[in-house]
Amino acid sequence: MQVAIYSAVRALGFDSFNLGCEKTAQRDFMTDPTLTNWSYDDLVAYERGGWSDKDPLLDYAATGTGPLLWQRTIWDHGRHRDYYEYIKFAGIYGGVTIPFRGASEKLGALTLLSFADREHDKDVLHAASIIGMVGTARAAAIGLQTGQAGGGSAKFRSLSSLQREILKWVANGKSNTEIALIVGQSKRSVDYHVIEILKKLEVGSRAQAAAIYAAL
């Protein structure tokens, strides 16, 4: 499903996505995304930088009432100037943020990011909204939404001893290159096992896999 969403995102002219479903707090969009193509290291760096407390897009994701098509220049002045500098340094030019509510009134949002200076027509808002609704429905159907994914312990037991060791280091914020040195495997082998770990745990990101490990 993550691959399908990423393909749709790319077709709209964006380069990255983050989908959060059934979240109780806005910071959960970045600390525990439902589906994302951000790396675990990127998510950790974001949280360590304290951006979950000062990111205007997180505020909008939690409180906004409709899709927002934005460019980073809207924060070039005023109290969010530091956020402008942050996303400029990260190479982010603009994006779309779409908040939505579930039946439980918990928070949900989809954010798409562009790493190139592209013009996006407002027509992309409708298409992006459809991607968000489809992604949310599929996440619910396969149990990826927060608090719904059951059987974490059983899924963990399905991992090989090497995969459990790799997962431990993933949860400790190590990159695949670092893990390869620690466990004495090639990076290519670690890359393969990380993919297998995500499949066996039935999650879409390293952050979710790490969360399952932390909860054991």
Side-chain angles (χ1 to χ4, degrees), residues 101-116:
R101 291 284 191 279
S104 65
E105 291 302 312
K106 288 187 176 181
L107 305 175
L110 172 68
T111 290
L112 311 181
L113 301 177
S114 177
F115 292 93

Side-chain angles (χ1 to χ4, degrees), residues 133-179:
M133 289 187 289
V134 171
T136 299
R138 285 294 298 145
I142 63 178
L144 282 182
Q145 289 188 2
T146 300
Q148 293 184 357
S153 296
K155 293 170 185 174
F156 177 77
R157 289 194 295 271
S158 73
L159 303 180
S160 68
S161 58
L162 174 58
Q163 288 169 349
R164 294 180 190 182
E165 176 75 2
I166 290 172
L167 178 57
K168 179 184 77 172
W169 293 112
V170 167
N172 277 277
K174 300 296 184 182
S175 68
N176 285 6
T177 299
E178 292 171 323
I179 295 171

Side-chain angles (χ1 to χ4, degrees), residues 26-27 30-31 46-47 49-55 58-59:
Q26 65 186 48
R27 70 184 300 129
M30 297 304 296
T31 59
Y46 175 93
E47 183 62 17
W51 292 107
S52 59
D53 295 322
K54 51 189 178 182
D55 183 341
L58 282 193
D59 289 338

